Amino acid sequence: MTKVFNKISDWQKEREKIGTNKTLGFVPTMGALHEGHFSLMEKSVKENDFTIVSIYVNPTQFNNKEDYENYPDTFEDDLGALEKLNADYCFFPSYEEMYRDNYKYKVSESELSNKLCGAHRTGHFDGVLTIVMKLLNIVNADKAYFGEKDYQQYLLIKGMAEAFFMRTEIIPLPTIRSEEGLALSSRNKRLTEDELVKALEFPKLLKSELNDDQIKEELSSKGFVVDYVESIENRRFGAVHLGKVRLIDNVKI
Ligand code: AMP
């Protein structure tokens, strides 16, 4: 049985019981779980004595109210998946529990967070880093697992954990895709059937031999609204809008 905790103090009592001789793995999520999340959970269950998954749609990382309000909520199904995957604990807190300071305090980074998604989503990474710092402090895990699908986010979280001497090891895992190559995302649930087909062009073009500008042109001509396509070192990052949904992806080049 996956045990659900809404209150930080209740979880902390459980955490004390686990002690330091057993290992705890942590997978932070915003729910609407899919195979991408499951791959992180499976790894955590395999590598640790206990696994905790948090489900919290963090309002401070949304720069777009409509996106926040329409973020899919499938809590009952999510809990069923946690049971099936043998996750021991689910942390499912409220805003009041997480933001007792009402977001007066925040964690920010001054370089990478201004690029790529950060250049298009004001305040997004402040919200991400702040909630992940809170969660890592509360959960007190040995290892925390993050998807390379959000590669910029992973780099920023890893940098934060190092900069603040946090005890949890930050572990990246590969992007899980549909058979046709689309990176799985909770937001894909909001794509229409036609858009789901069109979306396949996005990863295909990112992986192509074209340069960043040519890819942008191709995407625009196919009806995507492009936020950016940018290659940094050996990775190409992209973000596009398709209908009401913003898609991000990155591939090794
Ligand atoms: P989210 O619920 O979207 O905030 O994501 C929670 C965690 O799952 C993050 O570390 C994401 O990078 C990871 N994740 C989301 N989609 C995928 C995917 N398709 N493959 C691998 N990891 C993913």
Side-chain angles (χ1 to χ4, degrees), residues 83-129:
E83 302 267 1
K84 239 169 132 182
L85 290 167
N86 292 320
D88 304 278
Y89 308 109
C90 174
F91 183 52
F92 182 57
S94 63
Y95 177 84
E96 288 68 30
E97 194 69 357
M98 294 307 293
Y99 286 98
R100 296 175 187 182
D101 63 323
N102 214 5
Y103 202 37
K104 281 200 294 275
Y105 289 86
K106 46 185 93 162
V107 182
S108 61
E109 190 272 358
S110 59
E111 283 181 24
L112 178 59
S113 67
N114 298 319
K115 301 183 174 143
L116 304 171
C117 279
H120 295 267
R121 301 184 69 186
T122 308
H124 169 65
F125 285 118
D126 288 359
V128 169
L129 292 178

